[in-house]
Amino acid sequence: MATFDAPPVLSTPDTHILEDLAPAKPQNASRLSDEELYITYEIERTVSEIQQRKWHTIALQFPDEMLVDAPRVYAALNRRLEEKREFSTAKRADVDGEAQTLGLESKTQRLEISDGGAPGTAIHGEEEKLYILADTSYGSCCVDEIAAEHIDADGIVHYGRTCLSPTTRLPVVYVFTIHPLPLGPIVLAFQETFPKLDEKVVLMADVTFANHVQSVYNALCGAGYTKIFRTEVIHSPGSSLPNRTAPEEGEGLGGYKLFHISEPPASLLLILSSRLGSIYIYPTIPSPSPRKPLLTTTATTLRRRYALVASLTTIPVWGILINTLSTKNYLRIATHLQRQILAAGKKAYTFVVGKVNAAKLANFGEIGGWVVVGCWESSLLESREFYKPVITPFELGLVLTPDNERLWTGEWVADFNSLLERRWKGKNGVNEALEGADGQRPSHDALMEGDSRPPSATDLDSEPESVPPDYDLRTGRYISHTRPMPLLSSPQSHNTSSTSTSLITRHPTTLAAIAGEVSPGAEYLRSQRTWKGLGSDFVTVGYEEEEGQRGASMQEGRTGIARGYKVGEEGEMR
């Protein structure tokens, strides 16, 4: 056994206090050469777009996986913009020198000619300012207009894959980035998957590989294929193939099969599977073995989503999550959802959040289900971490449809702008009543104003006993408290403003009401929350009509600076 001459040292020496003993993690570094960087991030095209649009303050938005290249892209853009400015300045100086000998009229003409080669180019030599947006407020596929407005940007350059949702405030230049992809293996995989040369196939790729679609199409046509439809990227999330051109409507998508290059997001996969015959996905992840297209089906996912819809029909209180402040018409769809929920006799609360996670939503126990207002790619949240289900606006419409009218066709819609359009369409097209004498449809504003009528007493029953109970398919029981929002007064009294928070006595229960309207949130706070604010754990906090019950008294705390606080009226130093 070993012997010790002195007791062991059980503490860390003073010299090691400021030292980090944890092994250093390897830092990710950009692996692209300068030439590859210029090609991948399309530096030349980006510089041309910036100068043609005359932007002076530019926000560069990168997804997390591309932040490693952000400093080099920033430096490359700055360098090319400076070279362009110097070239423009030198060219303008040459024109000025020649104009001195030719006269003022010739000078003006030559200035116009010199600028005519690049319309819209800033010729005053003003320096452009670039900013990197390193952390997005919402999903990386969406344009972060909120962060860009903090620097008063003239425009945004968005890098990487994107949902292409229409923006509301700032113009955007999309750089999908260019990635190498061998042509031969793709053509060979396609031929093995579709041996018949007359097979009707839609050729599609993720936006980051969209530049390869044309070359693959040309190679397949050269191999003898005659019925391949080549898609092109467009800015239309509500199209038959989101953000892509589609075959003519007369042909129908059900007779086509899809060959998709790269793994699509879950929401896009659900849309495509509900509209096309079958889907084959060609993986682009590097692999030592030959890649083979995978036949993909979403039948299980669609059944799970429908089961989720059927389980939420008895939810009385809904939460509307505003998960975007940039997507066009997000306020209109939020207003539409509020009216839709209220018309069903249920209560809706609106929340504005950044990136959705389970911890944020768990703070609101009174919410029975959530509906997300976001871009069409990020609205599908299937994480098991959420305590309450999260659905899309399209699925909410199914939830609020009566059981005897709900029809599940297997269709799945993600773009809420399409829902707003469908709202004004009948089974056979646009309702004629919505068209004016000139045959033109009214604007969205006019249509939304027509739906601003508050519900009348006939829309919602005034007595809870007259509301039939709902049948819960999960438990096999009838539930009578699924519609907590009948009007408590006549329409005339409902329109009068009131700030009262009194309790409304209704047989057989007593419910909390605000402004003459039942408030499930206030009732949950009154009856179920154990902590109701500062001082609530000392005395019972009552409503303003109840006398004799008061919260904890306020006391003056510390004042001053940290080296000498003053406490109380006497100013004792501590």
Side-chain angles (χ1 to χ4, degrees), residues 510-557:
T510 301
L511 303 177
I514 297 178
E517 188 177 81
V518 170
S519 174
E523 175 63 23
Y524 187 90
L525 173 66
R526 185 182 68 88
S527 61
Q528 299 190 41
R529 284 198 181 274
T530 57
W531 190 81
K532 304 174 182 178
L534 294 176
S536 62
D537 48 349
F538 294 102
V539 296
T540 303
V541 177
Y543 291 87
E544 58 185 15
E545 285 79 3
E546 301 178 5
E547 299 180 357
Q549 294 183 348
R550 305 177 63 185
S553 60
M554 298 181 62
Q555 297 180 359
E556 184 179 356

Side-chain angles (χ1 to χ4, degrees), residues 169-212:
R169 303 176 184 86
L170 297 176
V172 185
V173 171
Y174 291 98
V175 179
F176 302 141
T177 65
I178 297 176
H179 303 276
L181 192 64
L183 178 61
I186 298 179
V187 175
L188 181 61
F190 188 96
Q191 292 174 336
E192 293 177 353
T193 306
F194 306 106
K196 297 181 180 180
L197 298 180
D198 58 347
E199 193 86 51
K200 297 175 68 174
V201 182
V202 173
L203 183 61
M204 184 174 172
D206 189 79
V207 291
T208 55
F209 294 95
N211 59 299
H212 297 283

Side-chain angles (χ1 to χ4, degrees), residues 552-560 565-572 574:
S553 60
M554 298 181 62
Q555 297 180 359
E556 184 179 356
R558 295 182 181 183
T559 60
Y565 287 115
K566 296 180 180 180
V567 182
E569 298 179 357
E570 299 179 358
E572 179 183 357
R574 291 184 184 178

